[in-house]
Amino acid sequence: MHVQDSRWSSASAITTGGGAVGGTMSAAAGNGRGDARTTPLRVDAQRNLEHVLRAAREVFGELGYGAPMEDVARRARVGVGTVYRRFPSKDVLVRRIAEEETSRLTDQARAALGQEDEPWSALSRFLRTSVASGAGRLLPPQVLRVGVADDGAVVDEARVPQQRTQPGAGELRLVPEQPAAVPTDDAGAAALLDVVGQLVERARAAGELRADVSVSDVLLVIATAAPSLPDAAQQAAASARLLDILLEGLRSRPQA
């Protein structure tokens, strides 16, 4: 299994905000995404773009965001120049994939929240859907990063929904990679954290979720319960089994 973290370093410019490098990458990202989404493409160019995006999801999901562009091109069966024509830097491609996967998880969470009446059913449906999709392997670290909060520690409430805590207990909480920076995709990350926070709060309020389980715990389950295995059937079976075990660990138990 793989959790995105240090391998994000090659794309760290997109999370620093401001600065010459961050500004340059932001401009490049805007141009790259705008061209890819709004400019009409020839049939062969559109097909190449789809191959590149599919390959990028597979490669980054297996190897992390530190994987080189050459690996993406090789998986897509195109020249590396073709990849760079659509995405002028690796950071642009990384941002595109991370934003799409974050958006997909947000949609899955909203669907579970809106279509399931029972709080535990909503949370477990979201976890099963998201793990099956493999999107957790592609979460950007500014969403996934966790730290152990000390008593009285301040957590950025714009990034993490309000959560009940156990006094005196060290709790895993999501924290920004660089607290002073505001990534350009912060709105997408905040939307995901907000809707997952609603799922967590509902299940906790209903007494079905352990009181010490946080949003970060749920996202860690998504990221770690989807191991990358060479055989698709084995991967699906392993993911389902691991998720069953993790769900049992999340669920509240009656007091003896």
Side-chain angles (χ1 to χ4, degrees):
M1 65 185 69
H2 174 72
V3 178
Q4 301 291 353
D5 192 348
S6 60
R7 294 182 180 181
W8 183 268
S9 59
S10 65
S12 60
I14 67 173
T15 61
T16 57
V21 175
T24 300
M25 290 305 177
S26 297
N31 293 337
R33 293 200 307 276
D35 291 344
R37 295 179 179 178
T38 63
T39 304
L41 298 175
R42 301 190 314 273
V43 173
D44 59 337
Q46 179 63 38
R47 184 169 57 247
N48 284 341
L49 174 61
E50 292 169 358
H51 289 335
V52 168
L53 290 173
R54 185 181 305 113
R57 292 186 191 99
E58 293 174 359
V59 170
F60 293 150
E62 295 168 8
L63 304 177
Y65 284 116
M69 292 283 263
E70 288 77 9
D71 284 4
V72 174
R74 191 176 302 113
R75 184 72 62 92
R77 297 185 177 181
V78 300
V80 70
T82 298
V83 179
Y84 278 108
R85 275 195 295 273
R86 297 307 308 161
F87 301 96
S89 75
K90 180 181 173 181
D91 295 312
V92 179
L93 177 58
V94 164
R95 182 194 297 271
R96 171 77 175 264
I97 297 298
E99 288 182 352
E100 288 184 352
E101 296 308 303
T102 300
S103 177
R104 176 154 58 137
L105 282 173
T106 303
D107 290 343
Q108 292 169 351
R110 284 174 176 154
L113 192 63
Q115 297 174 14
E116 296 289 343
D117 294 330
E118 296 296 326
W120 179 255
S121 296
L123 180 60
S124 60
R125 168 179 166 170
F126 167 60
L127 285 169
R128 292 188 185 283
T129 302
S130 57
V131 168
S133 73
R137 291 194 298 267
L138 294 163
L139 278 173
Q142 68 264 29
V143 174
L144 189 60
R145 184 171 296 279
V146 298
V148 178
D150 298 325
D151 292 342
V154 176
V155 177
D156 188 345
E157 294 183 357
R159 303 182 68 80
V160 184
Q162 186 71 31
Q163 300 179 50
R164 301 190 188 104
T165 61
Q166 296 297 309
E171 180 191 6
L172 285 175
R173 294 188 185 179
L174 290 164
V175 295
E177 184 169 8
Q178 297 185 14
V182 182
T184 56
D185 59 350
D186 193 60
L192 174 61
L193 294 172
D194 177 70
V195 69
V196 174
Q198 293 180 54
L199 288 168
V200 168
E201 286 297 329
R202 284 182 61 198
R204 186 187 289 121
E208 296 181 292
L209 183 68
R210 281 172 42 180
D212 62 336
V213 172
S214 65
V215 172
S216 61
D217 295 322
V218 172
L219 293 177
L220 282 172
V221 167
I222 295 171
T224 58
S228 180
L229 301 176
D231 183 84
Q234 289 181 353
Q235 178 171 312
S239 293
R241 174 60 177 159
L242 181 55
L243 183 56
D244 285 341
I245 295 171
L246 293 172
L247 282 171
E248 283 299 308
L250 295 176
R251 196 155 196 176
S252 177
R253 291 286 178 267
Q255 296 293 330

